[in-house]
Amino acid sequence: MAGAGSSMLYSFLLFVVILSLQEVYRGKLASTELFTLVGGFISSLLFVVSLTFIGNFQETCGMKTGWGAVMIAEAIALIAASTVHRVCITTCFLFSAVLLYEVNKLSGLILARSESKTKRH
């Protein structure tokens, strides 16, 4: 399993790649309604990757991750979405809310599984 340091590095590299590809193809993403929705989804992927980076950074520094990390990651994603199209801001926010719900559900499942393993021993 990847540690916090390597996960932080990989999420930063993914963030840079996704953001640069989004900026390169920003004209194409703003050209039609469907591509505008895709641009919002790509920006929400930036949200997840930046949230992973911030969470791992806080973990390596010994700080507790909370809603502040979510707000910072969302602001970063919305600013990136605003460079593509105005509608991308709205769709990014909606896709990010869904992805945050799924990440929260997944982390709760993993935490419950790890707690059950520690109780057996």
Side-chain angles (χ1 to χ4, degrees):
M1 192 163 183
S6 61
S7 178
M8 184 171 57
L9 175 68
Y10 295 146
S11 62
F12 178 73
L13 290 175
L14 269 173
F15 179 82
V16 170
V17 167
I18 293 171
L19 182 64
S20 51
L21 286 174
Q22 180 179 356
E23 291 303 314
V24 166
Y25 293 109
R26 131 174 99 186
K28 180 70 172 169
L29 290 172
S31 64
T32 64
E33 295 170 355
L34 179 65
F35 283 138
T36 305
L37 293 175
V38 171
F41 180 73
I42 291 171
S43 296
S44 68
L45 292 178
L46 285 173
F47 164 72
V48 172
V49 172
S50 61
L51 182 64
T52 304
F53 175 79
I54 293 169
N56 285 322
F57 179 74
Q58 288 180 338
E59 184 179 331
T60 57
C61 292
M63 299 172 7
K64 185 174 179 173
T65 304
W67 283 104
V70 174
M71 296 301 168
I72 291 170
E74 185 67 28
I76 291 169
L78 291 177
I79 290 170
S82 70
T83 63
V84 176
H85 195 274
R86 290 179 300 187
V87 176
C88 286
I89 299 170
T90 306
T91 57
C92 172
F93 183 78
L94 295 174
F95 283 128
S96 296
V98 171
L99 288 174
L100 181 64
Y101 173 75
E102 292 298 323
V103 166
N104 186 34
K105 189 168 67 170
L106 182 64
S107 69
L109 180 70
I110 291 172
L111 182 63
R113 186 177 297 161
S114 69
E115 286 179 355
S116 68
K117 285 183 181 178
T118 58
K119 288 182 181 178
R120 281 190 277 172
H121 296 287

